[in-house]
Structure formats: structure tokens, C-alpha cells
Amino acid sequence: MATQILQKYFNFSEEKCVETLKNKSLTATLLKVAEECDTQLQTEPLPPSAPSLLYQLATKMKSQTHHGLIIKYILSSQIKSDTKLAAAIQFFKSNLSVTNQSEFEDFCGIGVEVTLGEVETVVDQLIEDNKEVILQRRYRFNKGELIGKVRSVLKWADGKIIKEVVDAKIENILGPKTDEDLAPAIKEHKQTPSGDKVATKQIQKHEVGYEIAGDALNFHKVGENYTTEGYVMTPFTKDLIRKHLQQTGGIVVTRFPPEPNGILHIGHAKALSFNFGYAKANGGICYLRFDDTNPEKEEKRFFTGIIEMVKWMGHTPYKITHASDNFQQLYEWGIQLIKSGDAYVDHQKQSEIQGLNVAASPWRDRPIEESLKLFQDMKNGLIEEGKATLRMKYTMEDGKLDPVAYRIKFKPHPRSGNTWCIYPTYDYAHCLCDSIENITHSLCTKEFQARRSAYYWLCNALRIYCPVQWEYSRLNLTGTVISKRKIGKLIKEGIIEGMDDPRLFTLTALRRRGVPQEAINKFCAKVGVTQTQTVIEPSMLDACILEVLDETARRAMAVFEPVRVLVTNFPQLEPIFVQVPDFPKREKSTFHKVKFEQEVFIERSDVSDVLLPEYRRLAPGQSVGLRHTGYVISIQEVIKNKNGDITEVQVICSLVNDTNKPKAWIHWVSQPLECEVRLYEKLFKHPNPEDLKVVPGGFITDCNKDSLRVFTALVDRSVEGALELDKFQFERIGYFCVDANSTEKKLVFNRTSA
């Protein structure tokens, strides 16, 4: 039954129906829209434009209070374009009801029909005005700007028709595209905000370290914000963009905006890579801006820790800024919103305004002067915490009514001290700080998509430059927990030792484990940027780690389960110094020297007192080579303890030749250092430890008790004097990194990857 309804009212294919029915929330909304259509249509046929518009209504306007009215206009074909539907949705984000029907219809262009001839007339005139530039730049001419100008003249024209007419008219003038038209464009010189020229470069991965791909290829060009779907134009937009371009020199400007209330994790690494990488690939700049609007959770150590991690990841911010830099301007804009009737002081409790489809505040229409006085009282500390907020008159895409702009918090701020006792919310401050910093591409994860229209509304309500918000999917890894609160619980339970425990996926933990930042950036590039939510296996990160460490980790030899080997016929009284390459795969590798003498140690698994089938290492009657020495050893005697375990092997050695070539070469150590080694395994048993269906007891009960094994190993003396974070490949074992717990007397190694 549900499938038939979806096919009838939304023109879904069977495949689309199957996918949609998996989403219970979306299905319920669509069925309610269909039910309303049934009520209104009765026996009338569905207009051709309706299916697409009804689906947009259901997905873009979560609050269903006004669905019935808009559906009425859709079914009567009075709303039959995306532009008019967007206007209708926009109307109810700023108005709770229709008190004047003609006002609503004027706002949505009801009754206004733009003919094909009118579109062609305007396009012809604009093409004539720009003909010289079109002939010069041919198909590289910015058609988006032309389309934007048509829209500004014919607001209610169908966007698809405008594009079709523009494309046809330009092709009429230029003819089919030539090979030269299809060749990659060479970027022009642009200037930074300080006036410094940016060198011309084509976007190539090997030149800039970041390759634009996926959804990022569809991003708007600088200054063409209005070509983006959903971007809201006002009579002031063009002038504001023109001023923005003058201030920036027309370059890409992005920002990485972390909250200073915790440490960065693997998800932040993707955001870092995207924001800094996209700016770099386009010859632009990226700010590091702290979203420090909540003094309750912010600490100085988080500010310094985030800066440290950003730099460790290889990024250099154009400038480090803070939302708190703009507190005065944000406050003044709050006053401006009250004066324009777009904000009011409210006294409802938080519990009363949470959730969707809540009732309007009884103070929503209070006099402007009253709200101005109360807002000033809030600022001056005359109202108790929790007794008043400043709310904006707007309904968000998820149905949330009148989001809070300011709240009272009698907490000193890490940077501004006790200057303020009211603090802006993310919904209020974020887009305004983006505007202040002239951000061109405000890149954020998908959960902020429901705030996009509010972002545009607020900038436009204040008549300030409005950037474009672009959303992308979060980076989700299986077998991880990244919530600060949940990590804190793991620490409290004694399961891990801190935020930088190498079993975690915080950036400090990955660094301590020995993961190179190059590997993390390589991993983020492979994951790519899309709007599709995906869950990635950590094995993909491991592959990137191995790829980088194979080229960069210095080789050494270590024995984890040692067996003493005595060479009874050692060829000389003094030790032999063996040269071992630090980086065997490099053409011009450096070397270190290792002592080879009568007593050496090998792995217990590399010796057997019985020659078994397929066993290729040291056994009675089977010789083995010692790596880098050029010597082969053969068993004389095997010595065991009372439990039958091999404790010592006496051997003879000989130089390798054509007649005694061994089946295998094993690693060994002589006069070694005793070092502590920590072997880390997965912290959780299941891919999703937070799934209560799979782990009913919660993520704490899913912890792997064997995720850490600590023991003493023997390591060759070439590692002596190694510093924290120095990386080594222990031959035939894996990759290891020097831990911060190392001392002058004893080195500690963390396993990075096997």
C-alpha cells in the first residue's frame, strides 16, 4: 500500500520506494503529505509539476503546520516551480501564520507567470551587453552570473527554462565546443586580502598536496554565491558580494572552526584536510577560528592543544581568530535584530522550547522597546541565569522554532574574563563570524544542513555579506569512540590511561602511537568528500600508515621472545661490526653499525629442536642465515629447561656460499638494550560498540581486555638515544614509535602497525 502511495504522489520507481521505506521518519512524513493530497484532490488528477514539489516540501519543511496550505497551491498549479515553493517555505520560517493571504501570495509570486518570450527577451539583452566578453572567453564565460542577472530581473521565472535559454543562445553565437574550449583552463593571478599575489598553478595533486574531487568539484566559483542551489538573493546581495571581492582580492577563503572544549580526533582530521586543502588547491587561505562561545566548557589547554595538532598535521593557518574577538559586534547585531522586529527577549525555560512543533512563545510579539531594555539588562547582569534568552524569529528546516541567539551565563570567559555575562549560541555566531572573515566556502558536516537556511536568513536579515554553506559527510570509523564524555568514562574506569592512549583515535593518540601525519592526510584524501554517509574500516588507515612508514621508518632489529645462541666457532676474538641500511628501499640510504659477536639472541619462533615439514628456520639439519652478517649458522646442541623449553642453542657459523645458501634469513641482536614494548590491539570487540542492540550493556562492556600487552624486549643498540616519536621498523616484526614514557635508562616502544 505504501509503495503505491509513493508511486502515485511522488512518482517513485520501485527501487526508490524500497530505499525510502527503510527510512521510517521520511516515509511517515511523505505519507502524511499524500494523505493531505487525498483530502484535497478527491477525483482531480495530479498536476505534472506536483510530485517533485511535494517531495521537496516534505523534505525541506519538517514542521507540518502549514503543509496543507502549500499543498493546496501546489495541487492547483499556483505553485509549480522550485522558486515559488522555496519562497513559500521561506515565508513560514519567518511567519507563524498567514494573517493576510495577499501578503503570502505576493511573497510567493502566486499569479505571476513568466513566459518563454519574456525570458528570451531579457537573455537577448544581457547577451548583447556582454557579447564582447562572451566572444573573447567563449565557453569559459561565466554563465552563472548571466543566469543570476536574469533571475534578478525575472524573479519568478523557472530556473530550468532560464538555463536552457542561456545555453541555447550562447551556443547559437559560438557554435559547437572546439578542442580548445574543452582544454583545462589556466587560473588567473589573484590577490590575498593583504594584496600579496598568489602564484598561478593548475590544480594538481603533486603540486599542492590536495586534489579537488567528488562533490567539491561542484562548488561555486568565488563571487558566484548566487549560483548555488538554495542560496537566497536579496536586493543587497550583489553589492555586498562586490564589496567582499574588493576586500579579498577574489580568492577562496575557508575556515576550520573547532570548539575549544576538547581535543581533535580523526573526524577533525578530515575537516582540517578539506578546509585547508581546498583553500590551498585554489591558491586561497584558511583561518583557524575557535568557536569559543561557551565559557563553561572551554579551557586554555584545549586552545593550545588544538593549535599544536593543527600544526602537527602540516597546516599553517592564515590567521588564528576567535568568535570572542567579535563579541561586541555580535551584541550590536543582536540589538539591530530586535529593532528590525526579527528578535525578542523570551522567558521560557529550556525544556519548554526543546523539540519540534512547540508552541510559539507568549513573549514573541512583545514591544521592541521592551525587548531592547531587557536585552540590555541581560548584558548588564540584572537578570538571573536561565530567566531570559534572546530568540530569533525564524523556523529552521528541521522545524525548530525561533532558535536562541543569546543566553545568560555568569561564567568568566578564558579570553574576555568577566566582561560579558551573555554569550552567543552557535546558531547565531557562526554565520556572522563567517561573514566578518569574508569566508567564501563555509564547509561543515551534514548535521548542520538543517541550519543552512537559518544561516542565510540571519546574514540577510542584517544586510551583511552572506557566504555559502556546503555540507559533507562526517568521517566515521568502525570500532571507535570519539565522544569526549565517553572517553572520559573509559579513563575513569581505568580501561585507558588518558586522551592520548594509543588505542584511541584522537589525533594526540594517533601521534603517540606513531602514526605519521602524512598517513592521516593520505587517508583523508582517499576517503574523499561526499554527501553520502559512510562508515570506514580502520584497515584503510592502516594501509596508509604502512605506505608512509615503509619509506620513512628507520630499520632496526629487535627480539621479543629471546633464545640465547652461542657461536662456538666465532671467527675472531673481537666483535664484527655489521653495516645495516637505515632505509633499504632508498637508493642512497644511510647506514648504522651493529655488533655481531659470539653471543647473540634470536626469536623463540625461529628455532626448533625438531625439523618439521614446511619449517624454514633453524632446526637440526637445517641452517639459517643471520641478516646482514653474511654468515649461516647450524645447530650443534639444543639446551632446554626442566619444562622442555629451549633456553639456549649452540651453533657453528660459516660464510654463505653457493653450497650452503639457507632457506631463510632471520633477525638477531647482540649486546642489546632492554626496552619496554607495548603491543596494542583493537579496544572494542564489535565494529559499533555503541549499538545497544549488539552490545546491550553499553560500550564499556565491549572493551577488549587483551587490547594492551606490555613486556621487555631486546633491541639492537642503534636505537640508543632515540627521541620521543622517533619511528622504527623492527625487521620482520612491525613498526614502532618511541613513547613519551621513555627515560634515559629505558626506552619504551609503542607498536604502530604490525
Side-chain angles (χ1 to χ4, degrees):
M1 183 65 179
T3 299
Q4 293 173 337
I5 292 172
L6 294 177
Q7 289 175 330
K8 176 181 177 181
Y9 288 107
F10 304 102
N11 202 22
F12 281 4
S13 64
E14 282 193 28
E15 186 180 357
K16 178 71 172 175
C17 288
V18 171
E19 284 301 309
T20 302
L21 290 171
K22 292 177 184 177
N23 187 331
K24 293 182 180 178
S25 174
L26 175 58
T27 300
T29 304
L30 293 173
L31 292 178
K32 282 189 177 181
V33 168
E35 185 181 342
E36 179 64 33
C37 289
D38 266 336
T39 303
Q40 294 193 29
L41 266 179
Q42 295 178 355
T43 58
E44 294 295 318
L46 196 67
S49 60
S52 170
L53 296 175
L54 291 171
Y55 181 76
Q56 288 183 59
L57 175 65
T59 54
K60 292 184 178 181
M61 190 177 184
K62 300 293 170 59
S63 174
Q64 298 168 13
T65 308
H66 304 293
H67 276 189
L69 179 63
I70 297 177
I71 288 171
K72 172 187 169 185
Y73 282 93
I74 291 173
L75 297 181
S76 62
S77 294
Q78 291 176 282
I79 291 179
K80 57 181 180 181
S81 69
D82 295 351
T83 309
K84 289 184 179 181
L85 176 61
I89 293 172
Q90 186 70 25
F91 181 88
F92 287 113
K93 286 176 179 175
S94 302
N95 299 273
L96 292 180
S97 61
V98 177
T99 54
N100 184 327
Q101 188 166 340
S102 62
E103 181 186 354
F104 170 74
E105 292 185 347
D106 288 345
F107 190 89
C108 303
I110 304 298
V112 179
E113 295 293 333
V114 180
T115 66
L116 177 61
E118 288 175 303
V119 173
E120 288 179 331
T121 300
V122 174
V123 172
D124 285 339
Q125 183 59 56
L126 288 171
I127 285 180
E128 186 62 35
D129 294 343
N130 293 274
K131 194 168 186 178
E132 187 177 336
V133 182
I134 293 172
L135 291 172
Q136 180 186 358
R137 294 192 59 78
R138 290 186 59 78
Y139 284 99
R140 292 195 178 92
F141 172 75
N142 183 3
K143 289 191 292 185
E145 186 171 350
L146 200 64
I147 291 169
K149 287 179 179 177
V150 178
R151 282 178 174 167
S152 66
V153 176
L154 302 172
K155 182 178 180 180
W156 304 115
D158 189 307
K160 292 176 184 176
I161 293 175
I162 294 174
K163 186 177 184 305
E164 288 171 4
V165 171
V166 169
D167 287 344
K169 298 282 184 183
I170 288 180
E171 190 173 356
N172 253 5
I173 296 172
L174 302 178
K177 288 185 179 180
T178 64
D179 290 343
E180 190 177 343
D181 292 325
L182 296 170
I186 297 174
K187 296 182 71 180
E188 298 176 358
H189 288 282
K190 293 182 179 179
Q191 297 199 350
T192 63
S194 60
D196 299 328
K197 285 202 171 182
V198 177
T200 299
K201 282 188 180 181
Q202 285 183 290
I203 300 171
Q204 295 180 1
K205 190 174 181 180
H206 70 275
E207 286 183 331
V208 298
Y210 181 87
E211 185 176 30
I212 296 176
D215 290 343
L217 290 169
N218 300 321
F219 286 178
H220 69 284
K221 294 179 182 178
V222 175
E224 297 179 15
N225 304 30
Y226 46 82
T227 63
T228 306
E229 182 183 356
Y231 188 81
V232 180
M233 292 280 287
T234 73
F236 315 101
T237 300
K238 289 293 183 67
D239 287 339
L240 290 168
I241 289 177
R242 196 174 296 114
K243 183 180 177 183
H244 153 78
L245 293 173
Q246 289 170 354
Q247 292 174 342
T248 64
I251 65 167
V252 166
V253 184
T254 61
R255 82 287 173 271
F256 174 63
E259 295 178 65
N261 61 6
I263 59 177
L264 303 185
H265 52 69
I266 189 69
H268 290 113
K270 178 178 178 179
L272 275 167
S273 175
F274 191 20
N275 278 284
F276 280 92
Y278 186 76
K280 186 178 180 182
N282 285 285
I285 59 173
C286 182
Y287 286 85
L288 167 57
R289 183 209 308 147
F290 287 103
D291 177 22
D292 56 341
T293 55
N294 189 352
E296 286 183 315
K297 299 181 180 180
E298 294 156 8
E299 297 178 33
K300 187 175 180 181
R301 64 190 176 100
F302 293 137
F303 287 91
T304 55
I306 289 171
I307 292 171
E308 181 186 357
M309 282 298 99
V310 169
K311 291 181 178 177
W312 176 70
M313 285 291 292
H315 305 299
T316 304
Y318 169 71
K319 189 177 181 181
I320 297 175
T321 60
H322 306 76
S324 58
D325 298 338
N326 305 309
F327 275 176
Q328 182 61 39
Q329 177 63 76
L330 296 176
Y331 171 70
E332 290 172 9
W333 276 334
I335 293 172
Q336 185 177 327
L337 284 174
I338 296 172
K339 288 181 176 178
S340 63
D342 292 311
Y344 62 98
V345 172
D346 185 36
H347 303 290
Q348 289 180 293
K349 296 176 183 178
Q350 186 177 359
S351 59
E352 294 178 281
I353 63 175
Q354 284 180 327
L356 306 178
N357 298 315
V358 297
S361 167
W363 291 280
R364 194 175 200 266
D365 296 318
R366 75 187 326 159
I368 287 174
E369 290 304 320
E370 195 175 300
S371 280
L372 285 172
K373 172 65 169 59
L374 287 167
F375 190 43
Q376 188 175 27
D377 288 347
M378 287 171 61
K379 173 184 176 291
N380 293 336
L382 301 178
I383 301 178
E384 292 179 38
E385 191 167 329
K387 296 294 185 182
T389 58
L390 182 70
R391 295 176 67 185
M392 298 173 280
K393 292 184 180 179
Y394 187 81
T395 305
M396 299 178 73
E397 288 178 62
D398 59 3
K400 184 179 178 182
L401 178 66
D402 294 356
V404 173
Y406 269 93
R407 69 277 206 221
I408 301 168
K409 288 182 181 290
F410 291 107
K411 303 285 183 184
H413 189 276
R415 298 187 73 248
S416 60
N418 293 307
T419 303
W420 297 90
C421 63
I422 57 169
Y423 293 96
T425 61
Y426 176 93
D427 288 332
Y428 179 74
H430 184 69
C431 61
L432 301 185
C433 290
D434 278 355
S435 179
I436 289 169
E437 292 175 357
N438 273 309
I439 302 304
T440 58
H441 299 73
S442 182
L443 310 175
C444 57
T445 46
K446 285 283 286 182
E447 61 264 36
F448 295 102
Q449 186 169 350
R451 293 167 166 165
R452 189 203 305 165
S453 62
Y455 182 112
Y456 295 158
W457 173 85
L458 184 51
C459 289
N460 290 332
L462 291 166
R463 295 188 181 182
I464 60 175
Y465 162 71
C466 183
V468 177
Q469 177 175 303
W470 288 95
E471 303 90 12
Y472 59 92
S473 64
R474 293 181 64 177
L475 174 53
N476 299 306
L477 279 184
T478 61
T480 61
V481 163
I482 57 177
S483 155
K484 185 181 73 171
R485 181 181 60 81
K486 290 177 180 177
I487 292 174
K489 193 170 182 181
L490 289 169
I491 295 170
K492 186 178 179 181
E493 295 287 333
I495 296 168
I496 59 174
E497 64 175 37
M499 290 281 186
D500 64 346
D501 188 292
R503 287 164 288 186
L504 297 175
F505 282 81
T506 62
L507 293 188
T508 50
L510 291 170
R511 180 177 66 171
R512 185 177 176 188
R513 197 177 104 199
V515 177
Q517 55 90 358
E518 298 94 333
I520 300 174
N521 286 325
K522 189 182 288 282
F523 168 66
C524 291
K526 283 189 176 182
V527 169
V529 177
T530 67
Q531 293 192 350
T532 306
Q533 296 286 16
T534 54
V535 180
I536 309 295
E537 293 285 339
S539 57
M540 186 173 176
L541 174 60
D542 291 337
C544 296
I545 294 169
L546 292 174
E547 189 178 338
V548 173
L549 289 179
D550 191 45
E551 297 289 335
T552 58
R554 186 151 59 92
R555 295 330 189 243
M557 291 189 288
V559 174
F560 286 4
E561 295 182 301
V563 170
R564 182 174 182 260
V565 173
L566 186 66
V567 183
T568 58
N569 67 333
F570 196 75
Q572 60 187 54
L573 296 176
E574 298 298 321
I576 299 171
F577 284 92
V578 177
Q579 277 203 325
V580 178
D582 292 320
F583 308 99
K585 293 192 176 181
R586 294 184 187 176
E587 286 185 21
K588 297 181 180 179
S589 173
T590 53
F591 291 82
H592 63 270
K593 290 182 178 180
V594 176
K595 281 185 180 180
F596 171 45
E597 56 183 9
Q598 187 175 23
E599 181 188 63
V600 299
F601 296 88
I602 64 173
E603 291 285 359
R604 187 174 304 279
S605 59
D606 282 338
V607 61
S608 172
D609 60 341
V610 179
L611 181 58
L612 301 170
E614 304 301 322
Y615 188 74
R616 299 170 61 83
R617 283 156 284 171
L618 185 61
Q622 182 166 277
S623 301
V624 73
L626 296 179
R627 290 176 69 84
H628 309 297
T629 65
Y631 281 91
V632 176
I633 58 173
S634 304
I635 290 179
Q636 278 187 315
E637 184 181 356
V638 175
I639 300 169
K640 301 181 180 181
N641 61 18
K642 61 182 180 181
N643 296 322
D645 299 324
I646 298 174
T647 56
E648 182 179 323
V649 183
Q650 294 184 1
V651 301
I652 57 172
C653 71
S654 58
L655 285 169
V656 68
N657 56 50
D658 290 340
T659 60
N660 67 353
K661 285 183 179 178
K663 291 183 177 179
W665 292 84
I666 63 173
H667 62 278
W668 54 275
V669 292
S670 181
Q671 289 191 11
L673 294 173
E674 286 194 355
C675 301
E676 181 179 307
V677 168
R678 299 171 180 175
L679 301 184
Y680 295 97
E681 302 291 346
K682 291 180 179 179
L683 182 57
F684 298 104
K685 300 172 188 174
H686 293 91
N688 187 358
E690 298 176 85
D691 185 348
L692 293 177
K693 292 179 182 177
V694 180
V695 188
F699 71 98
I700 291 291
T701 65
D702 197 48
C703 289
N704 173 16
K705 294 179 181 178
D706 299 319
S707 61
L708 171 61
R709 185 160 67 93
V710 182
F711 57 88
T712 298
L714 304 180
V715 186
D716 77 50
R717 288 189 173 270
S718 68
V719 302
E720 203 165 18
L723 303 175
E724 180 186 351
L725 299 182
D726 280 354
K727 297 166 182 60
F728 296 89
Q729 180 184 359
F730 292 163
E731 296 194 32
R732 298 177 64 225
I733 297 176
Y735 295 95
F736 292 79
C737 173
V738 179
D739 188 74
N741 291 342
S742 297
T743 65
E744 289 183 5
K745 293 182 179 180
K746 193 169 190 177
L747 287 171
V748 178
F749 287 95
N750 296 323
R751 181 169 68 182
T752 307
S753 184

